[in-house]
Amino acid sequence: MDQNSVKALLQEVLAPDTERVKAATDKLKQDYYKNPQSLAILLQILISNDNSPEIRQLAGTQIRSLLPRHWNSVPEAHKPQIREQLLRSALQSKEDAVRHNAARVVAGVAKLDSVDGQWADLPNYMIGASSSSNVKEREVGTYVIFTIMDAMADESSEIFPALFDVFSKTIRDPQSGEVRINTMLALSKMALVLDTENDGESLRKFHNILPEMVGVLKQAIDAHDEERTLQAFEVFQTLLECDPKLLNKNFGDLVNFMSNAASETSIDKDARVAALNFLVSCVLYRKLKFQALRIGDQMVERLFNILFTVDEIPGDEEEYSVTLSVLSMLNLMSSQLPPSQAVVPVIRLFKQYAKSTNTTERHGALTALASCVEGAPEFIDSQMGELKPLILQLLNDSDIKVREAAVSATKELAESVPEPLGKDHEKFMAALARNLNAGVSGIDGPNSKTSTSIVTHCCTAIDALCNGLEPKDLKGYLPELVPHISHLFSHSDLKVKAAAIGAVGSIAESAQELFQPYFEQTMNSIGGNVRLKDTEDDLNLRSLTIDAMGDMASAVGPKQFQRYVTPLMESTDEGLKLDNPRVKETSYMFWGTLAKVYKEDFKTFLPGSVKAIFEVLEQKESELDVELGEGAGDLIGKEVIVGGKKIKVVDAKDDDDDDEEIEDVDLGMDGEEGWDDITGISAISEEKEIALEALAEIFSNTGSEFLPYFEKTIELTLPLLEHPYEGCRRAAISALFRAYSSLWQVGGAKWEPGLPLKIKPSNELAKLGEIIMTGTLALWMAEDDSNVVLEINRNLGETFRLCGPALLAQEGAPEKLVQTLLDILQKKHVCQTEFDEEEEDEDLESSEDEMWLIETALDCMTGIAVALGAQFGEAWKMFEKIVLGYASATESSQRSAAIGAIADATKGMGSGVTPHTTTLLNIIVRRLSDEDSQVKSNAAFAAGVLVEKSDSNQEIIKAYPTILGKLEPLLHTQESRQLDNAAGCVSRMIMKHRDQMPLDDVLPALIKLLPLKEDYEENAPVYQNIVQLYQSGNSTIQNLTPQLMPILNEVMGEPEDQLDDETRAGLVQLVKFVHSKQPDMVQPHANLVAAAQ
């Protein structure tokens, strides 16, 4: 082994030839780097000025990987000279990249030497160099200190006082921007380990120096120094991830500075994007602190102004731009902050600028609104009455760009708040059809790109709008809409073609059997796409087509789709071999769809599909282990993607196996750039998530046919509860609970509420329940991802309702369940505190994301009430104070959720609610007069349920006049289903204490409200009450028979889900009774005649 041969191989590594690079890398790994002498040779190459900067830089990169393995093999007598030469190289090299890499090698050696107390004078030496009158020495000194802090800040806290003293000067260095930025970089590494609890002096000095750090950033921005500007921004990003106390004192000023920078049109685009990204991180990592500033109005106004003044329209291929960063900030604010600080000012400004004569302002207002819809759908839903006319107006705007934005906004609204758009589907469908026609006509004109975009957006908007419609709503559109969109299947633009196929798929899924006349022609038109595979575009179109065909299978049913099943199963099987993640995921999802369509008849394809999914779930996610040196310490043990390869990062110092050598990933000239394309989610992780979701769909629909695969399904799913990717954990939770429910239903198990169990499940089911609860509770209590916690909440609640108390019978389960739910409801769960610093303002409102977590926890609580029945009356004592607190909160969303939960818990515990009647009745009656329509609606439902379930009859009867008085205004509005819930409440009151109700007045008024149009659940008490009144011979209801028969004819028709089985059976008997007495009353009504047979 000699220096020349190593240099020659390093030169080959730099060659622009992949094969030569691979051969040289392999030879270095196998023949050289196993030998400790290789470190000494590389050190000589690094420190020699005779070598090219590129060779020296590459040598330095390799040294940093070899140091942990071979430094201890260097003779102690040689080490002092090496240290001296390294320092000289770091101080005297002319090239920045070589000097910086030598400095990193110095830091690496210092870290290893610190174990034995060697080279202890290095930091002080560098502090001296940083104070030198020679600017070059200051530059090197501060950079070496930065590299030392980067490598071993946690071991250097004793020199922090000296560092703060020198940095208070170097941060204002008058001669060198590099000294100033190096100081910032070093301070950021110190901040990561600074002990704010026990080192108050360092915290004070950091607070004092922070304004100077902002000054360095401002200087770099003003000088248009792109590199140093982005380095400085990165420092502030790092500080957001440190102890909150470091920024708390200056947080408001820092946010104001960044928002000013983002708004300043004279500075570079990259700097504006970086400033916006910092604000995004503030909302992510300092949400409560940001919220406590109460600057939502001001921030939204600034973001709108940026949209109005930025001179760019980002293309689809752009990863970042000022516009996209603004929209990302608005999207995040809407989901993470309460409506008053985000979506309220957005809507206010949208309404203002939607009527502006300035095209840019109308366009910007639309894009801003669209960016917020996904984050705050409930609040947006409540405002749609005012928003819809403006959206419709803008869909007909004179400017094509505004219409494009309006169509895109309509798509977002249809996806997130389908109900209010569905009520005006005629107006929106007509507007979309006009834009679609205009777009198609303009594709070959001067606005070709915008017209194409409009066509694409119209198809996706129609796709989303159709998903929220009933078949009867779509019937009138199909003859014109389907052929018109189908013409786009052969369009030359892939996005148009794909959007059109997706739209027809959604139309089919919503139209159901009404789509049958168009089915064959559609399948023939797009059938060839399922064999495409030559290009990425081909594969994407193949996937979208198969997705749409799955929608059509759901629409036309198993018989008509049968002849397409085998070729599509062959296509999806082939898709697994095409090495395209999207195509693979489509295959799994299509199998799940077919299982839903064919149920047990999917058994023919079970062996192949289950085998393929099992292979995915069994696949290891690490294709190679690689050491990435000291710079990757925070990624050790994680799976990442580098250059398209799945890589497990390992710590070099933890691996003494000589067969495992250094990395062959090019980290770039300064050892940092190579991390730009790293992501923490591997492709196989996402594939597992989709595959497991599909498997759950398959076993949920194939019944006993799946039993041979059941045990292995559980075996492969359980480990995914500990998967590092949250998507896999969510999918695993959902799959396990669906498996439990499926096995329960296959076995025909029964249950009765309460503990101990009155009906015990089978041994297999009991064992599965024990396994699932053990894994779930362990994950639930420690999970830091709120979406995973939400998934657990939802699945527990649903399973308790479906399968009863069996899961509660596990030892210790009730206590853990209650405690975890209490933690969530009190916002003390780890997922609610992970990134939040202490914030003393208890009046801060909740975001919609936070409320969804609270609502699912309440839903889980009410699931327990269903499972325990009357016994939950005792458990309610533990929840009562918290839930009643929410019911009296200032936020309407909290009041609504709490009153709804009280109603559901009351319904579940039945007579167990009796001891709590006084407290619950008081809060429910108060909420019947609430200012919020949804709260009033929920209170009407809760009042009816409490009347029905409580045995505290005298107290309830005494409240009847008050309840009726407060219900009366609700009977005149459909807003938030108030009418339906009020009608249900009145019916329950009649059934419980008929003699206390003025039936002669109430019944005619009640009949006039029927049929209910929105909340079909309330049809049960309404029509059960009517049946009971007939059975008792009540003359008032009998006299209303002529008015009632048309109503019954409507509710006994489509849709069938208007009535549950018990209520329908009661009405059938009622119709037969009326038919026997007064056949002329029944004859005019087809549905009633059918029922009377």
Side-chain angles (χ1 to χ4, degrees):
M1 181 182 295
D2 61 84
Q3 188 174 142
N4 288 334
S5 63
V6 173
K7 283 171 58 178
L9 287 169
L10 291 177
Q11 193 66 54
E12 286 292 289
V13 170
L14 295 172
D17 185 320
T18 303
E19 292 301 319
R20 288 168 63 187
V21 171
K22 186 176 186 305
T25 299
D26 289 344
K27 189 167 183 63
L28 285 168
K29 290 170 62 176
Q30 298 301 321
D31 299 344
Y32 289 82
Y33 290 165
K34 293 180 180 181
N35 190 325
Q37 187 182 349
S38 62
L39 177 62
I41 292 174
L42 288 168
L43 285 165
Q44 289 305 311
I45 294 172
L46 171 64
I47 64 181
S48 173
N49 290 321
D50 295 335
N51 299 312
S52 70
E54 293 78 15
I55 290 291
R56 295 175 69 191
Q57 169 64 6
L58 182 56
T61 300
Q62 304 303 293
I63 289 168
R64 287 158 57 193
S65 294
L66 288 173
L67 276 173
R69 191 183 305 279
H70 295 321
W71 178 248
N72 289 337
S73 300
V74 175
E76 290 296 325
H78 296 171
K79 287 182 177 180
Q81 182 182 1
I82 293 173
R83 296 183 186 112
E84 182 183 344
Q85 291 173 326
L86 282 172
L87 274 179
R88 190 182 306 123
S89 179
L91 289 166
Q92 298 177 1
S93 293
K94 296 180 181 179
E95 297 80 13
D96 287 346
V98 174
R99 195 164 64 247
H100 289 173
N101 215 347
R104 289 193 174 277
V105 173
V106 167
V109 170
K111 183 173 179 65
L112 294 169
D113 282 350
S114 67
V115 176
D116 300 322
Q118 300 185 54
W119 215 2
D121 60 341
L122 175 65
N124 288 326
Y125 182 81
M126 288 297 106
I127 289 173
S130 301
S131 304
S132 169
S133 60
N134 184 306
V135 66
K136 279 297 177 187
E137 290 187 7
R138 295 201 303 277
E139 289 174 352
V140 172
T142 51
Y143 191 81
V144 172
I145 290 175
F146 157 57
T147 60
I148 292 173
M149 292 301 104
D150 191 23
M152 47 188 293
D154 52 347
E155 302 163 28
S156 307
S157 58
E158 71 280 355
I159 64 169
F160 279 11
L163 288 176
F164 274 117
D165 288 343
V166 72
F167 286 164
S168 66
K169 301 178 179 66
T170 58
I171 195 71
R172 298 191 301 269
D173 193 289
Q175 293 179 280
S176 172
E178 182 175 345
V179 171
R180 297 192 295 271
I181 204 69
N182 289 346
T183 301
M184 282 189 71
L185 292 169
L187 284 165
S188 71
K189 300 304 177 182
M190 293 166 62
L192 288 168
V193 300
L194 200 152
D195 184 356
T196 61
E197 293 294 331
N198 299 306
D199 190 355
E201 182 61 18
S202 289
L203 178 61
R204 183 187 65 80
K205 290 181 176 180
F206 189 90
H207 284 161
N208 291 340
I209 208 170
L210 189 64
E212 303 286 354
M213 296 169 71
V214 176
V216 173
L217 171 58
K218 187 177 186 305
Q219 290 166 2
I221 292 173
D222 292 343
H224 299 282
D225 186 334
E226 180 180 354
E227 180 180 359
R228 287 176 182 152
T229 296
L230 296 182
Q231 284 180 311
F233 272 118
E234 186 60 34
V235 165
F236 285 106
Q237 286 281 6
T238 299
L239 295 180
L240 284 174
E241 301 174 32
C242 299
D243 190 312
K245 291 185 179 67
L246 292 173
L247 290 184
N248 278 355
K249 181 179 178 182
N250 305 93
F251 185 77
D253 292 337
L254 196 54
V255 168
N256 187 54
F257 173 84
M258 294 295 183
S259 61
N260 284 334
S263 303
E264 181 53 62
T265 57
S266 64
I267 70 174
D268 296 336
K269 182 187 85 169
D270 287 349
R272 298 182 72 188
V273 170
L276 287 163
N277 288 344
F278 177 84
L279 295 173
V280 167
S281 296
C282 285
V283 178
L284 276 174
Y285 298 114
R286 295 287 186 273
K287 182 175 70 174
L288 291 183
K289 193 70 178 177
F290 189 94
Q291 185 176 341
L293 294 175
R294 290 181 168 83
I295 56 171
D297 271 297
Q298 175 188 340
M299 182 63 67
V300 169
E301 287 187 10
R302 285 192 171 184
L303 294 172
F304 265 69
N305 287 330
I306 295 172
L307 286 176
F308 297 158
T309 57
V310 67
D311 185 22
E312 64 174 16
I313 297 179
D316 292 334
E317 69 283 352
E318 282 196 63
E319 292 184 6
Y320 70 94
S321 69
V322 174
T323 299
L324 292 178
S325 296
V326 168
L327 298 180
S328 294
M329 180 66 175
L330 287 169
N331 176 273
L332 190 69
M333 288 177 67
S334 67
S335 66
Q336 297 297 311
L337 299 178
S340 64
Q341 292 210 34
V343 71
V344 168
V346 166
I347 290 176
R348 175 176 58 80
L349 293 174
F350 170 76
K351 290 190 288 188
Q352 174 185 336
Y353 290 111
K355 301 174 183 177
S356 170
T357 57
N358 185 305
T359 300
T360 301
E361 291 179 347
R362 297 198 304 277
H363 180 276
L366 278 164
T367 57
L369 177 68
S371 71
C372 294
V373 174
E374 183 185 19
E378 291 189 8
F379 188 83
I380 294 283
D381 186 285
S382 72
Q383 304 298 305
M384 285 301 291
E386 295 184 59
L387 294 177
K388 282 189 292 187
L390 294 173
I391 299 293
L392 286 166
Q393 171 189 318
L394 294 167
L395 281 169
N396 297 298
D397 198 273
S398 59
D399 185 85
I400 190 171
K401 288 286 186 184
V402 173
R403 293 200 304 275
E404 178 190 20
V407 171
S408 180
T410 301
K411 188 261 298 186
E412 295 294 334
L413 290 165
E415 287 181 343
S416 297
V417 287
E419 188 172 324
L421 257 65
K423 291 179 179 178
D424 285 314
H425 59 83
E426 298 96 341
K427 296 177 182 178
F428 280 95
M429 198 68 83
L432 291 172
R434 283 194 296 272
N435 278 280
L436 179 62
N437 292 333
V440 171
S441 301
I443 281 179
D444 297 323
N447 293 312
S448 173
K449 185 175 181 181
T450 303
S451 293
T452 301
S453 176
I454 285 179
V455 171
T456 303
H457 286 315
C458 278
C459 288
T460 54
I462 290 170
D463 180 333
L465 185 58
C466 288
N467 278 329
L469 299 182
E470 296 290 337
K472 61 182 177 63
D473 298 325
L474 275 171
K475 186 176 182 179
Y477 302 122
L478 296 179
E480 181 179 349
L481 195 59
V482 174
H484 192 51
I485 295 179
S486 297
H487 285 311
L488 301 174
F489 291 167
S490 57
H491 196 277
S492 58
D493 189 287
L494 175 67
K495 291 180 180 176
V496 171
K497 188 184 302 187
I501 292 172
V504 172
S506 290
I507 290 170
E509 187 176 31
S510 298
Q512 293 296 298
E513 67 273 6
L514 296 178
F515 187 76
Q516 288 185 359
Y518 312 94
F519 172 65
E520 295 291 346
Q521 184 177 347
T522 303
M523 291 294 290
N524 292 335
S525 298
I526 63 178
N529 295 344
V530 303
R531 295 184 292 275
L532 297 174
K533 57 183 176 182
D534 293 339
T535 67
E536 284 296 311
D537 285 347
D538 285 344
L539 291 172
N540 286 333
L541 189 58
R542 174 182 180 138
S543 294
L544 288 164
T545 300
I546 293 174
D547 286 343
M549 288 179 170
D551 292 337
M552 285 182 260
S554 300
V556 301
K559 185 176 180 180
Q560 193 167 349
F561 198 77
Q562 184 61 47
R563 71 188 185 92
Y564 299 101
V565 172
T566 299
L568 282 170
M569 288 300 295
E570 291 171 353
S571 173
T572 52
D573 185 58
E574 180 192 37
L576 300 182
K577 305 176 180 66
L578 295 178
D579 197 29
N580 179 282
R582 177 73 175 89
V583 174
K584 290 181 180 180
E585 291 168 5
T586 293
S587 295
Y588 306 136
M589 291 187 291
F590 182 75
W591 297 344
T593 299
L594 282 194
K596 287 174 68 176
V597 172
Y598 285 92
K599 305 297 182 183
E600 287 85 353
D601 290 337
F602 188 72
K603 61 185 177 183
T604 305
F605 303 104
L606 274 178
S609 58
V610 172
K611 178 177 181 292
I613 292 175
F614 281 175
E615 288 175 355
V616 176
L617 299 180
E618 289 174 320
Q619 187 174 339
K620 295 186 182 299
E621 299 185 43
S622 176
E623 292 184 349
L624 66 155
D625 289 356
V626 63
E627 296 166 10
L628 292 176
E630 300 298 329
D634 58 335
L635 292 176
I636 289 170
K638 296 182 180 178
E639 306 283 351
V640 298
I641 303 269
V642 179
K645 295 181 179 180
K646 292 184 286 293
I647 294 176
K648 181 179 180 181
V649 183
V650 297
D651 191 349
K653 65 179 179 291
D654 289 341
D655 189 357
D656 296 321
D657 185 351
D658 287 342
D659 292 334
E660 297 290 340
E661 291 301 332
I662 72 156
E663 38 80 17
D664 55 6
V665 178
D666 181 11
L667 291 183
M669 288 302 290
D670 198 27
E672 300 294 336
E673 292 84 353
W675 292 106
D676 290 344
D677 61 348
I678 289 180
T679 174
I681 303 173
S682 70
I684 185 59
S685 296
E686 293 181 324
E687 186 179 349
K688 284 185 176 181
E689 176 188 13
I690 302 300
L692 188 54
E693 289 174 353
L695 184 62
E697 203 68 64
I698 291 170
F699 65 61
S700 295
N701 286 282
T702 52
S704 60
E705 297 293 339
F706 193 85
L707 289 178
Y709 312 99
F710 205 88
E711 184 175 348
K712 189 168 185 180
T713 295
I714 302 302
E715 176 188 327
L716 294 176
T717 303
L718 278 170
L720 294 177
L721 291 176
E722 299 179 355
H723 197 283
Y725 171 43
E726 67 276 7
C728 282
R729 300 198 298 277
R730 285 200 308 270
I733 284 293
S734 177
L736 287 169
F737 279 96
R738 290 184 73 176
Y740 182 82
S741 300
S742 298
L743 190 60
W744 184 282
Q745 291 172 310
V746 167
K750 305 292 183 183
W751 63 274
E752 293 182 16
L755 293 174
L757 297 178
K758 300 178 180 67
I759 304 174
K760 294 188 177 181
S762 66
N763 291 335
E764 294 81 2
L765 198 55
K767 182 62 178 176
L768 177 61
E770 182 181 353
I771 291 171
I772 290 174
M773 285 300 283
T774 299
T776 298
L777 290 174
L779 174 64
W780 195 30
M781 297 169 73
E783 176 60 60
D784 60 6
D785 185 277
S786 61
N787 288 321
V788 178
V789 175
L790 189 148
E791 189 72 21
I792 296 172
N793 295 349
R794 183 186 295 121
N795 278 276
L796 281 169
E798 290 176 356
T799 307
F800 290 141
R801 287 181 179 83
L802 179 66
C803 306
L807 292 178
L808 290 168
Q810 311 294 333
E811 185 176 357
E815 294 79 8
K816 292 177 180 177
L817 277 162
V818 168
Q819 186 55 57
T820 306
L821 288 173
L822 290 174
D823 286 344
I824 295 170
L825 293 174
Q826 295 176 91
K827 301 183 181 181
K828 294 179 180 180
H829 191 277
V830 63
C831 75
Q832 296 163 297
T833 60
E834 182 72 9
F835 297 114
D836 282 344
E837 67 275 22
E838 294 180 8
E839 190 57 59
E840 295 183 2
D841 190 344
E842 295 183 359
D843 294 329
L844 294 180
E845 300 172 69
S846 300
S847 68
E848 285 201 10
D849 274 0
E850 291 169 331
M851 275 311 301
W852 287 334
L853 191 63
I854 298 297
E855 287 171 12
T856 57
L858 291 170
D859 186 63
C860 182
M861 177 198 75
T862 60
I864 297 173
V866 172
L868 291 180
Q871 291 178 354
F872 186 76
E874 190 65 27
W876 170 250
K877 296 175 182 177
M878 293 180 278
F879 293 102
E880 184 175 44
K881 182 178 179 181
I882 298 172
V883 177
L884 292 180
Y886 279 116
S888 300
T890 57
E891 293 179 55
S892 60
S893 60
Q894 293 184 0
R895 299 196 303 276
S896 174
I899 293 297
I902 288 171
D904 290 338
T906 300
K907 194 173 181 180
M909 73 175 105
S911 62
V913 76
T914 302
H916 311 288
T917 299
T918 301
T919 305
L920 295 183
L921 184 60
N922 286 337
I923 190 66
I924 290 169
V925 169
R926 286 207 306 273
R927 294 286 75 90
L928 281 170
S929 302
D930 199 275
E931 62 187 23
D932 182 82
S933 61
Q934 186 61 58
V935 177
K936 284 188 286 192
S937 182
N938 287 356
F941 175 59
V945 173
L946 184 62
V947 166
E948 177 186 1
K949 301 299 181 182
S950 174
D951 290 334
S952 186
N953 294 325
Q954 291 307 310
E955 188 172 8
I956 292 292
I957 291 170
K958 185 178 179 181
Y960 262 39
T962 302
I963 295 173
L964 282 173
K966 295 198 173 193
L967 286 176
E968 200 276 333
L970 277 62
L971 295 170
H972 303 290
T973 175
Q974 282 286 1
E975 187 179 1
S976 301
R977 305 182 180 184
Q978 291 180 62
L979 185 152
D980 296 23
N981 281 327
C985 181
V986 169
S987 298
R988 288 184 173 96
M989 292 172 73
I990 295 171
M991 285 191 287
K992 188 63 179 285
H993 300 291
R994 189 184 309 166
D995 58 331
Q996 299 298 318
M997 295 289 285
L999 295 183
D1000 290 345
D1001 297 323
V1002 170
L1003 287 178
L1006 179 62
I1007 298 302
K1008 286 181 181 179
L1009 304 176
L1010 303 181
L1012 303 182
K1013 298 296 186 182
E1014 295 186 318
D1015 194 344
Y1016 291 156
E1017 184 179 344
E1018 291 307 278
N1019 276 337
V1022 166
Y1023 294 108
Q1024 287 171 15
N1025 172 48
I1026 290 172
V1027 169
Q1028 288 182 17
L1029 288 169
Y1030 269 98
Q1031 289 172 340
S1032 67
N1034 180 269
S1035 59
T1036 304
I1037 197 68
Q1038 290 175 351
N1039 292 334
L1040 292 167
T1041 300
Q1043 296 96 306
L1044 189 59
M1045 290 301 106
I1047 296 170
L1048 296 186
N1049 185 63
E1050 188 169 340
V1051 297
M1052 296 183 75
E1054 296 293 337
E1056 289 190 6
D1057 63 354
Q1058 292 182 83
L1059 300 172
D1060 59 38
D1061 292 343
E1062 181 183 354
T1063 306
R1064 183 177 295 275
L1067 287 182
V1068 167
Q1069 293 303 313
L1070 173 58
V1071 170
K1072 288 181 177 180
F1073 169 77
V1074 174
H1075 185 260
S1076 69
K1077 302 292 185 182
Q1078 298 172 287
D1080 56 313
M1081 291 283 190
V1082 174
Q1083 289 302 329
H1085 307 293
N1087 292 326
L1088 300 189
V1089 171
Q1093 301 304 318

